[in-house]
Amino acid sequence: MPELPAMSVIVVTRAHFEAVRAVIKHLRAQTVRAQLEIVIVAPSVASVVADLEMLRDFQCFQLVECGNAFSTSVARATGVRRAVAPIVALVEDHSWPQPAWAEKLIAAHRQPCAAVGPALVNGNPETLTSWTNLLIEYGAWIDPAPQGAQPHLPGHNSSYKRERLLAYGDRLEVMFEAESVLHWDLRAQGHELLLEAEAKTVHYNFSLLGPSLRLRFCVGRLFASSRARDWPVARRLAYALAAPLIPCLRFGRIVKMLQGPGRLRHLLPRLAPLLFLALALDATGEFTGYLTGPGHAGEKLNDIEFDRPRNMTTADRLRFEAASR
């Protein structure tokens, strides 16, 4: 019987293979690529004309169809169920794992933990908007990141024991809507989450202001609605009324985090106004999500999360495209 791959990597595309060619290129550069399964999930397999030569360097690969009712949470859950390795890792088309990424994650999973996350490096560090988005989404795990146990891990970029995810059954799609909620639930069950600081991925961020503010509102709304899905009305109302405090609390945490060794304290005076504005939009989204649910936030995120270059400045887009080749 053939040996199972050590880790399955879930690669989601809404359109075609070219959209994920760059991340596949970086997965091919992994030191343990021969131990990896690549699972490419798309609305239609017929639309994904894969470059098979790029995929034959891995232990195995699958092209998986998830249907026309496409969302990233459904696609990731579909990929996890179809994967064959005991560890599954999530990647994004705009987050490129560095060569030792897979090796370090696999090694970390030898410990009794449910999930292991990587450190993130800013792929487009020239704009304040890029730093603002990275700090809000991934500030706790920016390289150099703290090694060891964490309360939660980088969403869309972490790895899991597959059996822990499959235990959610039909709820897995819901748990993937806001991965912080998934991580908190895993910890509530007594599972440990680890950050492997030597597993690094280069993440490209929104750097245009308008799309960034839309992103922040939609992320906040989807997070709140997912978190409060089973809450009574009184609790949802209490959290909604507390939402105006969120920008101040999160701003304070980010400022404290930036004071650590190797951090970006020199950027803070220029970052502060934009950072607070973005946090306010995020909190407005949370307020809306607690009171009225997700609305169309999930669909809007699906629309803007893919094709990252269209949400970047011209200079960032050119650098991204050059690095993609």
Side-chain angles (χ1 to χ4, degrees), residues 71-322:
S71 74
T72 54
S73 57
V74 169
R76 290 183 178 112
T78 301
V80 167
R81 293 189 182 105
R82 288 288 298 271
V84 300
I87 302 167
V88 291
L90 307 182
V91 296
E92 299 179 288
D93 60 6
H94 53 270
S95 187
W96 299 341
Q98 299 306 285
W101 170 85
E103 180 181 358
K104 296 296 184 180
L105 291 181
I106 292 167
H109 269 284
R110 296 187 184 117
Q111 300 179 62
C113 59
V116 181
L120 283 92
V121 177
N122 194 346
N124 54 326
E126 288 77 14
T127 69
L128 294 178
T129 306
S130 170
W131 278 116
T132 294
N133 283 307
L134 188 67
L135 285 166
I136 290 175
E137 294 178 4
Y138 299 115
W141 313 289
I142 294 175
D143 184 50
Q147 180 86 11
Q150 298 288 315
H152 60 138
L153 295 171
H156 305 171
N157 286 273
S158 290
S159 61
Y160 301 86
K161 297 282 197 312
R162 182 169 172 264
E163 64 179 354
R164 299 299 179 203
L165 295 181
L166 293 180
Y168 285 101
D170 293 341
R171 296 174 56 221
L172 185 57
E173 286 83 354
V174 171
M175 301 306 291
F176 271 145
E177 286 181 0
E179 273 175 78
S180 292
V181 177
L182 166 63
H183 298 161
W184 294 335
D185 190 72
L186 287 169
R187 289 188 72 231
Q189 295 177 46
H191 301 304
E192 192 169 48
L193 312 179
L194 300 179
L195 194 289
E196 175 47 70
E198 295 302 314
K200 299 180 184 182
T201 184
V202 176
H203 191 277
Y204 286 82
N205 311 289
F206 281 41
S207 56
L208 290 176
L209 181 59
S212 294
L213 297 181
R214 289 193 291 274
L215 174 71
R216 298 270 55 89
F217 177 84
C218 290
V219 167
R221 183 172 186 177
L222 193 62
F223 165 76
S225 61
S226 179
R227 184 185 192 189
R229 187 182 304 274
D230 299 320
W231 289 2
V233 172
R235 188 178 183 189
R236 294 172 71 106
L237 181 59
Y239 271 72
L241 293 174
L245 300 175
I246 293 172
C248 296
L249 292 172
R250 295 186 69 187
F251 184 81
R253 288 175 191 153
I254 291 173
V255 169
K256 183 178 179 181
M257 180 271 297
L258 289 176
Q259 306 307 310
R263 294 297 181 164
L264 307 162
R265 68 177 74 184
H266 64 285
L267 285 179
L268 187 56
R270 291 188 294 139
L271 268 175
L274 181 57
L275 184 59
F276 200 87
L277 173 63
L279 287 169
L281 263 292
D282 210 296
T284 303
E286 287 197 41
F287 174 84
T288 307
Y290 287 130
L291 287 183
T292 64
H296 296 291
E299 293 91 330
K300 290 177 180 177
L301 281 175
N302 286 331
D303 287 338
I304 62 178
E305 265 290 292
F306 293 95
D307 192 14
R308 182 56 49 103
R310 67 180 169 145
N311 296 306
M312 293 178 177
T313 63
T314 300
D316 281 356
R317 183 169 64 250
L318 292 174
R319 276 189 287 268
F320 179 88
E321 292 170 352

Side-chain angles (χ1 to χ4, degrees), residues 8-64:
S8 297
V9 184
I10 313 301
V11 182
V12 175
T13 177
R14 193 176 63 172
H16 44 70
F17 184 81
E18 290 305 312
V20 294
R21 181 180 289 275
V23 72
I24 296 294
K25 181 183 81 170
H26 284 80
L27 292 172
R28 285 181 79 199
Q30 296 299 304
T31 57
V32 293
R33 69 183 183 187
Q35 299 177 37
L36 301 179
E37 177 191 38
I38 304 300
V39 183
I40 299 177
V41 186
S44 169
V45 169
S47 67
V48 183
V49 181
D51 185 338
L52 296 183
E53 289 304 314
M54 290 191 73
L55 296 174
R56 285 183 178 131
D57 290 330
F58 302 104
Q59 182 168 340
C60 54
F61 67 90
Q62 298 185 57
L63 303 179
V64 177

